[in-house]
Amino acid sequence: MLSIDTVAESAKAPFAAPPALANILVVEDEDLIRETLVLALQEEGYHTLVASDGYEALNLINTYLLTNANPENTEVHLIILDVMLPGINGLDLCRLIRHEGCTVPILMISAKGSEIDRVVGLEIGADDYLAKPFGMREMLARCRALLRRTQIQQATVSPVLRFRDLCLYPQECRVTLRGEEINLSPKEYKLLELFMRHPRRVWPREQLLDQVWGQDFIGDSKTVDVHIRWLREKIEADPSHPQYILTVRGFGYRFG
């Protein structure tokens, strides 16, 4: 779950009923632009959730994407994210979202339209970048393209990964052990998914850090050992004698 020490409590915005097309989170501080975006999206049949600053967006992302606290069991399919926001700017928010392993597509919008601004936005994790002012037709076309791309990617993902009594459901971010659902943190889940997609492959700690925490992670590689221990405590019958996640001394870890 994302957290910032200075984040103030913000009220949860109401969410529409499950959509016919997609649910789109619009994060924009300028009232006129936000209202115009929402109107254009709703006319296309999309359902919208809105935030007017970075802290409000952070709260909604935590609720609807990164925790099990989502009361409506509603999925956010796309984020339209302004760069210049009060509280937490869009670049920092995008970086935090990706650091937590959230893969929802992000369309970044900004009055800063230089090449370097676009490159920075894309490099930190945005899927597309649209410079203001822009036309609503182009914005809608880019949204449709991002949503199509996500649907194609999801279609190529196996609906379930299985190993012995362990099942992982990628599209639901859910794991069961002997038929019982187990609760994993985002990092534990990403580790397990990586292991299950590549059974018997040996992963050095540095590669696990790059894959799960990101190449810009600053910290001790021992954090991998800590998360592996936590994960073993949840999935192994005897964590001291693991059957799923094995230690390959001098190299790293492998699954199975």
PDB file of all heavy atoms in Angstrom, residues 58-82:
ATOM      1  N   LEU A  58      -4.015   9.490  -4.502  1.00  0.00           N
ATOM      2  CA  LEU A  58      -3.296   8.457  -3.768  1.00  0.00           C
ATOM      3  C   LEU A  58      -4.255   7.612  -2.931  1.00  0.00           C
ATOM      4  O   LEU A  58      -4.169   6.381  -2.897  1.00  0.00           O
ATOM      5  CB  LEU A  58      -2.254   9.109  -2.865  1.00  0.00           C
ATOM      6  CG  LEU A  58      -1.358   8.190  -2.033  1.00  0.00           C
ATOM      7  CD1 LEU A  58      -0.404   7.425  -2.923  1.00  0.00           C
ATOM      8  CD2 LEU A  58      -0.589   8.986  -0.994  1.00  0.00           C
ATOM      9  N   ASN A  59      -5.176   8.271  -2.272  1.00  0.00           N
ATOM     10  CA  ASN A  59      -6.155   7.563  -1.456  1.00  0.00           C
ATOM     11  C   ASN A  59      -7.030   6.639  -2.299  1.00  0.00           C
ATOM     12  O   ASN A  59      -7.287   5.479  -1.930  1.00  0.00           O
ATOM     13  CB  ASN A  59      -7.024   8.583  -0.716  1.00  0.00           C
ATOM     14  CG  ASN A  59      -8.007   7.931   0.238  1.00  0.00           C
ATOM     15  OD1 ASN A  59      -7.619   7.198   1.129  1.00  0.00           O
ATOM     16  ND2 ASN A  59      -9.284   8.200   0.032  1.00  0.00           N
ATOM     17  N   LEU A  60      -7.475   7.128  -3.457  1.00  0.00           N
ATOM     18  CA  LEU A  60      -8.324   6.327  -4.325  1.00  0.00           C
ATOM     19  C   LEU A  60      -7.560   5.150  -4.930  1.00  0.00           C
ATOM     20  O   LEU A  60      -8.092   4.046  -5.050  1.00  0.00           O
ATOM     21  CB  LEU A  60      -8.907   7.209  -5.434  1.00  0.00           C
ATOM     22  CG  LEU A  60      -9.876   8.297  -4.959  1.00  0.00           C
ATOM     23  CD1 LEU A  60     -10.255   9.205  -6.119  1.00  0.00           C
ATOM     24  CD2 LEU A  60     -11.120   7.682  -4.340  1.00  0.00           C
ATOM     25  N   ILE A  61      -6.314   5.375  -5.302  1.00  0.00           N
ATOM     26  CA  ILE A  61      -5.493   4.301  -5.858  1.00  0.00           C
ATOM     27  C   ILE A  61      -5.259   3.218  -4.809  1.00  0.00           C
ATOM     28  O   ILE A  61      -5.328   2.021  -5.094  1.00  0.00           O
ATOM     29  CB  ILE A  61      -4.163   4.872  -6.391  1.00  0.00           C
ATOM     30  CG1 ILE A  61      -4.435   5.704  -7.648  1.00  0.00           C
ATOM     31  CG2 ILE A  61      -3.163   3.764  -6.694  1.00  0.00           C
ATOM     32  CD1 ILE A  61      -3.309   6.622  -8.034  1.00  0.00           C
ATOM     33  N   ASN A  62      -4.973   3.647  -3.581  1.00  0.00           N
ATOM     34  CA  ASN A  62      -4.832   2.673  -2.498  1.00  0.00           C
ATOM     35  C   ASN A  62      -6.098   1.848  -2.336  1.00  0.00           C
ATOM     36  O   ASN A  62      -6.060   0.624  -2.190  1.00  0.00           O
ATOM     37  CB  ASN A  62      -4.521   3.391  -1.177  1.00  0.00           C
ATOM     38  CG  ASN A  62      -3.040   3.675  -0.998  1.00  0.00           C
ATOM     39  OD1 ASN A  62      -2.199   2.918  -1.462  1.00  0.00           O
ATOM     40  ND2 ASN A  62      -2.723   4.763  -0.332  1.00  0.00           N
ATOM     41  N   THR A  63      -7.242   2.511  -2.365  1.00  0.00           N
ATOM     42  CA  THR A  63      -8.515   1.833  -2.115  1.00  0.00           C
ATOM     43  C   THR A  63      -8.902   0.895  -3.244  1.00  0.00           C
ATOM     44  O   THR A  63      -9.296  -0.247  -3.008  1.00  0.00           O
ATOM     45  CB  THR A  63      -9.629   2.877  -1.904  1.00  0.00           C
ATOM     46  OG1 THR A  63      -9.306   3.693  -0.781  1.00  0.00           O
ATOM     47  CG2 THR A  63     -10.967   2.193  -1.672  1.00  0.00           C
ATOM     48  N   TYR A  64      -8.779   1.361  -4.486  1.00  0.00           N
ATOM     49  CA  TYR A  64      -9.325   0.615  -5.609  1.00  0.00           C
ATOM     50  C   TYR A  64      -8.314  -0.259  -6.342  1.00  0.00           C
ATOM     51  O   TYR A  64      -8.710  -1.102  -7.153  1.00  0.00           O
ATOM     52  CB  TYR A  64      -9.983   1.568  -6.612  1.00  0.00           C
ATOM     53  CG  TYR A  64     -11.246   2.186  -6.072  1.00  0.00           C
ATOM     54  CD1 TYR A  64     -11.247   3.464  -5.533  1.00  0.00           C
ATOM     55  CD2 TYR A  64     -12.437   1.464  -6.070  1.00  0.00           C
ATOM     56  CE1 TYR A  64     -12.403   4.021  -5.010  1.00  0.00           C
ATOM     57  CE2 TYR A  64     -13.600   2.012  -5.555  1.00  0.00           C
ATOM     58  CZ  TYR A  64     -13.576   3.289  -5.025  1.00  0.00           C
ATOM     59  OH  TYR A  64     -14.712   3.831  -4.506  1.00  0.00           O
ATOM     60  N   LEU A  65      -7.006  -0.065  -6.083  1.00  0.00           N
ATOM     61  CA  LEU A  65      -6.013  -0.811  -6.847  1.00  0.00           C
ATOM     62  C   LEU A  65      -5.031  -1.614  -6.003  1.00  0.00           C
ATOM     63  O   LEU A  65      -4.576  -2.671  -6.419  1.00  0.00           O
ATOM     64  CB  LEU A  65      -5.206   0.140  -7.749  1.00  0.00           C
ATOM     65  CG  LEU A  65      -5.969   0.732  -8.939  1.00  0.00           C
ATOM     66  CD1 LEU A  65      -5.166   1.844  -9.586  1.00  0.00           C
ATOM     67  CD2 LEU A  65      -6.278  -0.350  -9.957  1.00  0.00           C
ATOM     68  N   LEU A  66      -4.665  -1.116  -4.822  1.00  0.00           N
ATOM     69  CA  LEU A  66      -3.541  -1.711  -4.106  1.00  0.00           C
ATOM     70  C   LEU A  66      -3.913  -2.445  -2.824  1.00  0.00           C
ATOM     71  O   LEU A  66      -3.046  -3.035  -2.191  1.00  0.00           O
ATOM     72  CB  LEU A  66      -2.496  -0.632  -3.775  1.00  0.00           C
ATOM     73  CG  LEU A  66      -1.928   0.118  -4.979  1.00  0.00           C
ATOM     74  CD1 LEU A  66      -0.893   1.132  -4.527  1.00  0.00           C
ATOM     75  CD2 LEU A  66      -1.333  -0.846  -5.986  1.00  0.00           C
ATOM     76  N   THR A  67      -5.159  -2.409  -2.424  1.00  0.00           N
ATOM     77  CA  THR A  67      -5.555  -3.104  -1.205  1.00  0.00           C
ATOM     78  C   THR A  67      -6.839  -3.878  -1.461  1.00  0.00           C
ATOM     79  O   THR A  67      -7.430  -3.799  -2.534  1.00  0.00           O
ATOM     80  CB  THR A  67      -5.799  -2.117  -0.044  1.00  0.00           C
ATOM     81  OG1 THR A  67      -7.013  -1.370  -0.305  1.00  0.00           O
ATOM     82  CG2 THR A  67      -4.646  -1.134   0.109  1.00  0.00           C
ATOM     83  N   ASN A  68      -7.250  -4.607  -0.454  1.00  0.00           N
ATOM     84  CA  ASN A  68      -8.519  -5.336  -0.532  1.00  0.00           C
ATOM     85  C   ASN A  68      -9.667  -4.542   0.086  1.00  0.00           C
ATOM     86  O   ASN A  68     -10.697  -5.097   0.437  1.00  0.00           O
ATOM     87  CB  ASN A  68      -8.392  -6.685   0.182  1.00  0.00           C
ATOM     88  CG  ASN A  68      -7.408  -7.603  -0.509  1.00  0.00           C
ATOM     89  OD1 ASN A  68      -7.356  -7.637  -1.733  1.00  0.00           O
ATOM     90  ND2 ASN A  68      -6.621  -8.337   0.264  1.00  0.00           N
ATOM     91  N   ALA A  69      -9.475  -3.225   0.217  1.00  0.00           N
ATOM     92  CA  ALA A  69     -10.479  -2.404   0.888  1.00  0.00           C
ATOM     93  C   ALA A  69     -11.562  -1.912  -0.065  1.00  0.00           C
ATOM     94  O   ALA A  69     -12.439  -1.168   0.336  1.00  0.00           O
ATOM     95  CB  ALA A  69      -9.800  -1.200   1.552  1.00  0.00           C
ATOM     96  N   ASN A  70     -11.496  -2.301  -1.314  1.00  0.00           N
ATOM     97  CA  ASN A  70     -12.451  -1.848  -2.314  1.00  0.00           C
ATOM     98  C   ASN A  70     -13.853  -2.359  -1.990  1.00  0.00           C
ATOM     99  O   ASN A  70     -14.147  -3.528  -2.195  1.00  0.00           O
ATOM    100  CB  ASN A  70     -12.000  -2.359  -3.685  1.00  0.00           C
ATOM    101  CG  ASN A  70     -12.872  -1.869  -4.812  1.00  0.00           C
ATOM    102  OD1 ASN A  70     -13.976  -1.386  -4.590  1.00  0.00           O
ATOM    103  ND2 ASN A  70     -12.385  -2.006  -6.021  1.00  0.00           N
ATOM    104  N   PRO A  71     -14.734  -1.494  -1.502  1.00  0.00           N
ATOM    105  CA  PRO A  71     -16.051  -1.967  -1.057  1.00  0.00           C
ATOM    106  C   PRO A  71     -16.963  -2.402  -2.189  1.00  0.00           C
ATOM    107  O   PRO A  71     -17.834  -3.224  -2.008  1.00  0.00           O
ATOM    108  CB  PRO A  71     -16.627  -0.751  -0.310  1.00  0.00           C
ATOM    109  CG  PRO A  71     -15.937   0.425  -0.921  1.00  0.00           C
ATOM    110  CD  PRO A  71     -14.548  -0.052  -1.281  1.00  0.00           C
ATOM    111  N   GLU A  72     -16.785  -1.831  -3.380  1.00  0.00           N
ATOM    112  CA  GLU A  72     -17.655  -2.183  -4.496  1.00  0.00           C
ATOM    113  C   GLU A  72     -17.065  -3.272  -5.383  1.00  0.00           C
ATOM    114  O   GLU A  72     -17.657  -3.648  -6.382  1.00  0.00           O
ATOM    115  CB  GLU A  72     -17.947  -0.944  -5.365  1.00  0.00           C
ATOM    116  CG  GLU A  72     -18.774   0.127  -4.683  1.00  0.00           C
ATOM    117  CD  GLU A  72     -17.879   1.099  -3.911  1.00  0.00           C
ATOM    118  OE1 GLU A  72     -16.642   0.913  -3.933  1.00  0.00           O
ATOM    119  OE2 GLU A  72     -18.417   2.027  -3.297  1.00  0.00           O
ATOM    120  N   ASN A  73     -15.860  -3.761  -5.039  1.00  0.00           N
ATOM    121  CA  ASN A  73     -15.168  -4.744  -5.871  1.00  0.00           C
ATOM    122  C   ASN A  73     -15.057  -4.247  -7.302  1.00  0.00           C
ATOM    123  O   ASN A  73     -15.282  -4.975  -8.270  1.00  0.00           O
ATOM    124  CB  ASN A  73     -15.890  -6.090  -5.835  1.00  0.00           C
ATOM    125  CG  ASN A  73     -15.027  -7.210  -6.384  1.00  0.00           C
ATOM    126  OD1 ASN A  73     -13.801  -7.154  -6.311  1.00  0.00           O
ATOM    127  ND2 ASN A  73     -15.669  -8.217  -6.952  1.00  0.00           N
ATOM    128  N   THR A  74     -14.747  -2.960  -7.454  1.00  0.00           N
ATOM    129  CA  THR A  74     -14.684  -2.302  -8.748  1.00  0.00           C
ATOM    130  C   THR A  74     -13.239  -2.131  -9.181  1.00  0.00           C
ATOM    131  O   THR A  74     -12.396  -1.734  -8.395  1.00  0.00           O
ATOM    132  CB  THR A  74     -15.365  -0.924  -8.687  1.00  0.00           C
ATOM    133  OG1 THR A  74     -16.707  -1.098  -8.227  1.00  0.00           O
ATOM    134  CG2 THR A  74     -15.386  -0.254 -10.037  1.00  0.00           C
ATOM    135  N   GLU A  75     -12.960  -2.405 -10.433  1.00  0.00           N
ATOM    136  CA  GLU A  75     -11.611  -2.299 -10.975  1.00  0.00           C
ATOM    137  C   GLU A  75     -11.433  -0.989 -11.722  1.00  0.00           C
ATOM    138  O   GLU A  75     -12.320  -0.557 -12.458  1.00  0.00           O
ATOM    139  CB  GLU A  75     -11.344  -3.471 -11.923  1.00  0.00           C
ATOM    140  CG  GLU A  75      -9.940  -3.492 -12.487  1.00  0.00           C
ATOM    141  CD  GLU A  75      -9.717  -4.665 -13.401  1.00  0.00           C
ATOM    142  OE1 GLU A  75     -10.672  -5.465 -13.571  1.00  0.00           O
ATOM    143  OE2 GLU A  75      -8.611  -4.795 -13.963  1.00  0.00           O
ATOM    144  N   VAL A  76     -10.301  -0.326 -11.524  1.00  0.00           N
ATOM    145  CA  VAL A  76      -9.934   0.844 -12.317  1.00  0.00           C
ATOM    146  C   VAL A  76      -9.116   0.348 -13.501  1.00  0.00           C
ATOM    147  O   VAL A  76      -8.113  -0.342 -13.337  1.00  0.00           O
ATOM    148  CB  VAL A  76      -9.127   1.858 -11.482  1.00  0.00           C
ATOM    149  CG1 VAL A  76      -8.593   2.978 -12.371  1.00  0.00           C
ATOM    150  CG2 VAL A  76      -9.991   2.446 -10.384  1.00  0.00           C
ATOM    151  N   HIS A  77      -9.542   0.704 -14.726  1.00  0.00           N
ATOM    152  CA  HIS A  77      -8.912   0.179 -15.927  1.00  0.00           C
ATOM    153  C   HIS A  77      -7.899   1.145 -16.540  1.00  0.00           C
ATOM    154  O   HIS A  77      -7.047   0.728 -17.333  1.00  0.00           O
ATOM    155  CB  HIS A  77      -9.968  -0.152 -16.976  1.00  0.00           C
ATOM    156  CG  HIS A  77     -10.985  -1.142 -16.505  1.00  0.00           C
ATOM    157  ND1 HIS A  77     -12.184  -0.753 -15.940  1.00  0.00           N
ATOM    158  CD2 HIS A  77     -10.970  -2.495 -16.470  1.00  0.00           C
ATOM    159  CE1 HIS A  77     -12.884  -1.831 -15.610  1.00  0.00           C
ATOM    160  NE2 HIS A  77     -12.177  -2.901 -15.917  1.00  0.00           N
ATOM    161  N   LEU A  78      -7.996   2.441 -16.205  1.00  0.00           N
ATOM    162  CA  LEU A  78      -7.116   3.443 -16.816  1.00  0.00           C
ATOM    163  C   LEU A  78      -7.058   4.659 -15.909  1.00  0.00           C
ATOM    164  O   LEU A  78      -8.056   5.025 -15.272  1.00  0.00           O
ATOM    165  CB  LEU A  78      -7.662   3.841 -18.197  1.00  0.00           C
ATOM    166  CG  LEU A  78      -6.986   5.001 -18.933  1.00  0.00           C
ATOM    167  CD1 LEU A  78      -5.556   4.637 -19.337  1.00  0.00           C
ATOM    168  CD2 LEU A  78      -7.793   5.395 -20.174  1.00  0.00           C
ATOM    169  N   ILE A  79      -5.881   5.292 -15.843  1.00  0.00           N
ATOM    170  CA  ILE A  79      -5.716   6.537 -15.088  1.00  0.00           C
ATOM    171  C   ILE A  79      -5.291   7.637 -16.048  1.00  0.00           C
ATOM    172  O   ILE A  79      -4.316   7.480 -16.797  1.00  0.00           O
ATOM    173  CB  ILE A  79      -4.654   6.396 -13.981  1.00  0.00           C
ATOM    174  CG1 ILE A  79      -5.044   5.306 -12.984  1.00  0.00           C
ATOM    175  CG2 ILE A  79      -4.466   7.725 -13.246  1.00  0.00           C
ATOM    176  CD1 ILE A  79      -3.977   5.021 -11.939  1.00  0.00           C
ATOM    177  N   ILE A  80      -6.026   8.733 -16.049  1.00  0.00           N
ATOM    178  CA  ILE A  80      -5.603   9.949 -16.758  1.00  0.00           C
ATOM    179  C   ILE A  80      -5.018  10.868 -15.698  1.00  0.00           C
ATOM    180  O   ILE A  80      -5.721  11.317 -14.796  1.00  0.00           O
ATOM    181  CB  ILE A  80      -6.783  10.617 -17.488  1.00  0.00           C
ATOM    182  CG1 ILE A  80      -7.365   9.661 -18.540  1.00  0.00           C
ATOM    183  CG2 ILE A  80      -6.340  11.917 -18.144  1.00  0.00           C
ATOM    184  CD1 ILE A  80      -8.586  10.208 -19.257  1.00  0.00           C
ATOM    185  N   LEU A  81      -3.733  11.161 -15.801  1.00  0.00           N
ATOM    186  CA  LEU A  81      -2.983  11.777 -14.709  1.00  0.00           C
ATOM    187  C   LEU A  81      -2.306  13.063 -15.150  1.00  0.00           C
ATOM    188  O   LEU A  81      -1.421  13.046 -16.016  1.00  0.00           O
ATOM    189  CB  LEU A  81      -1.939  10.778 -14.186  1.00  0.00           C
ATOM    190  CG  LEU A  81      -1.031  11.218 -13.046  1.00  0.00           C
ATOM    191  CD1 LEU A  81      -1.841  11.535 -11.791  1.00  0.00           C
ATOM    192  CD2 LEU A  81      -0.012  10.115 -12.741  1.00  0.00           C
ATOM    193  N   ASP A  82      -2.706  14.173 -14.558  1.00  0.00           N
ATOM    194  CA  ASP A  82      -2.059  15.460 -14.828  1.00  0.00           C
ATOM    195  C   ASP A  82      -0.703  15.506 -14.130  1.00  0.00           C
ATOM    196  O   ASP A  82      -0.519  14.942 -13.046  1.00  0.00           O
ATOM    197  CB  ASP A  82      -2.957  16.592 -14.334  1.00  0.00           C
ATOM    198  CG  ASP A  82      -2.421  17.964 -14.723  1.00  0.00           C
ATOM    199  OD1 ASP A  82      -1.692  18.046 -15.728  1.00  0.00           O
ATOM    200  OD2 ASP A  82      -2.725  18.938 -14.020  1.00  0.00           O
TER     201      ASP A  82
END
